[in-house]
Amino acid sequence: MSTRILPAVGDFDAARSVTTLLSQLPDAEPAAPVGDSTSLLDTLARLASESLDEVPEVVLVHERIGPVPALELIREIALRFPAVGVILITADASPGLFTAAMDSGARGIVALPLSYEELASRVQTAAQWSVGVRRHLGSGADIPTGPGGTVVTVSGAKGGVGTTVVAVQLALAARASGSTVALVDMDLQAGDIASYLDVQFRRSIVDLASVQDISPRVLQDAVFNHTTGMALLLAPGEGERGEEVADRSVRQIVSALRSRYEVVVIDCGTQMNGANAAAIEMADTALLVTTPDVVAVRAAKRVVRMWKRLQIRKAEETVTLINRHIRNTEIQPPLVQKITGTNVAPIAVPANFKELQPVVDAGRMQDLDAKSTVKQALWALAGELGLVKAPAGAQGKSGKFRGNDRGSIGLRRRGRGGGADPQTTRDS
């Protein structure tokens, strides 16, 4: 039986050396090297969506891969594709790095400069382990491999545009359709999801910040199980503790949530930091909420440019949602799209705070009336984003906006405009 090997090597000389040695291994089917972590994860997700049999037994990760650091990348592969044997290629073969690599989920380390004997031995061991895992799990649909759940981040162009209302309603819509849903408050200093859903809590996202291996049990202990059936991972009650949540922690948390829930909605608030930047980078869809006024649209443009400068998200990979939309306002969706360079969501949310005020004041956002135009718009948007399960055999009206591939364009990189949107007392 041949062993399929996928190398992930960013350095050209190292890639050539790895490719040469892999071609000499007996019974090996090496694929062309991928040059970065995003391409590697996309490739594995695409292959896994076709069939487990298409996923390579062995993945080689070079220490200088990017943009996600090698050990974090190995951890994410182990979470999302647990039947794949990962080998780290590194110049540092110290016991400390070996331990760290094993803790991340690697099946072995190959030291640089590469030697044929060591590479062959590590590949054979990882491949045997992978085959054993697949045989133990069987070839049915229950094997936990593939891209996992859909992650959507909701960010505000500025304070007060309705970010939290949008995030909560998208999560409620997904849950109402039967999906397992996690709603995360990544507005670490001023998060208000607990207030909108009338939740008293003890644990928060900070409790996961220092955990090296987020197991399902650890994750379950940190989330709050809401009466709606959603799992809430809330911001800390003491805003200053938000600094304890680093970008590395967020990558692990999002990966763990993605592997456990079908839909993960993350409220990133309006303030940019390393934590929510990591979430936005990892998201399938990054939603940017604005209102149809000059100040908010300018703020949206600033956010989009900042994301581009920091290499968090490209403008064409961002979806702008117009909130509190009024038909006779001068600022309409086509103008917002032109100014920001983003895709504008095909549904805008109408300005009707009177519908929202009772449930906002009561902290019962889940009780918003089904006849509410705000709720109808946001739940329709959830359908456009692919967060709502369609009835068996049904096809989405906006199929051109579909897509699981991180590089694709559409509401997972999509857009155009229309509709109307909610008012909220404050963003969050």
Side-chain angles (χ1 to χ4, degrees), residues 335-360:
L335 179 59
V336 175
Q337 182 165 328
K338 181 178 179 181
I339 292 173
T340 62
T342 64
N343 297 306
V344 174
I347 295 173
V349 188
N352 198 337
F353 183 62
K354 288 183 179 180
E355 297 177 352
L356 288 172
Q357 188 168 10
V359 294
V360 169

Side-chain angles (χ1 to χ4, degrees), residues 194-380:
S195 298
Y196 276 83
L197 295 173
D198 192 25
V199 169
Q200 302 295 323
F201 64 100
R202 293 184 300 107
R203 296 190 179 277
S204 71
I205 192 171
V206 173
D207 293 296
L208 296 177
S210 60
V211 178
Q212 296 298 319
D213 185 12
I214 303 177
S215 65
R217 175 63 182 274
V218 170
L219 185 62
Q220 186 61 38
D221 288 343
V223 302
F224 181 93
N225 295 312
H226 195 256
T227 54
T228 58
M230 297 189 298
L232 307 181
L233 185 57
L234 300 167
E238 304 82 20
E240 66 274 12
R241 295 199 65 193
E243 297 181 359
E244 300 175 28
V245 183
D247 56 344
R248 178 179 179 181
S249 300
V250 170
R251 293 185 186 279
Q252 295 179 22
I253 292 168
V254 173
S255 295
L257 290 168
R258 189 199 294 270
S259 68
R260 186 173 177 84
Y261 297 94
E262 294 173 295
V263 175
V264 181
V265 179
I266 305 175
D267 178 1
C268 291
T270 60
Q271 299 298 317
M272 184 56 52
N273 52 50
N276 52 30
I280 294 167
E281 182 184 350
M282 295 179 68
D284 298 295
T285 300
L287 200 62
L288 179 62
V289 183
T290 187
T291 49
D293 58 84
V294 172
V295 174
V297 174
R298 284 178 176 173
K301 184 177 181 179
R302 286 198 303 270
V303 170
V304 170
R305 288 181 171 179
M306 177 175 63
W307 287 359
K308 182 178 180 180
R309 289 195 303 272
L310 298 178
Q311 297 183 341
I312 298 171
R313 200 84 176 186
K314 296 178 181 178
E316 60 269 24
E317 297 178 348
T318 301
V319 180
T320 299
L321 172 66
I322 300 177
N323 192 20
R324 302 183 200 142
H325 181 269
I326 302 173
R327 291 185 182 277
N328 59 2
T329 185
E330 293 183 5
I331 300 179
Q332 294 294 326
L335 179 59
V336 175
Q337 182 165 328
K338 181 178 179 181
I339 292 173
T340 62
T342 64
N343 297 306
V344 174
I347 295 173
V349 188
N352 198 337
F353 183 62
K354 288 183 179 180
E355 297 177 352
L356 288 172
Q357 188 168 10
V359 294
V360 169
D361 292 344
R364 300 280 301 179
M365 185 59 64
Q366 66 271 28
D367 292 340
L368 184 60
D369 194 289
K371 296 180 180 178
S372 163
T373 57
V374 171
K375 180 174 181 177
Q376 290 174 0
L378 287 171
W379 284 41

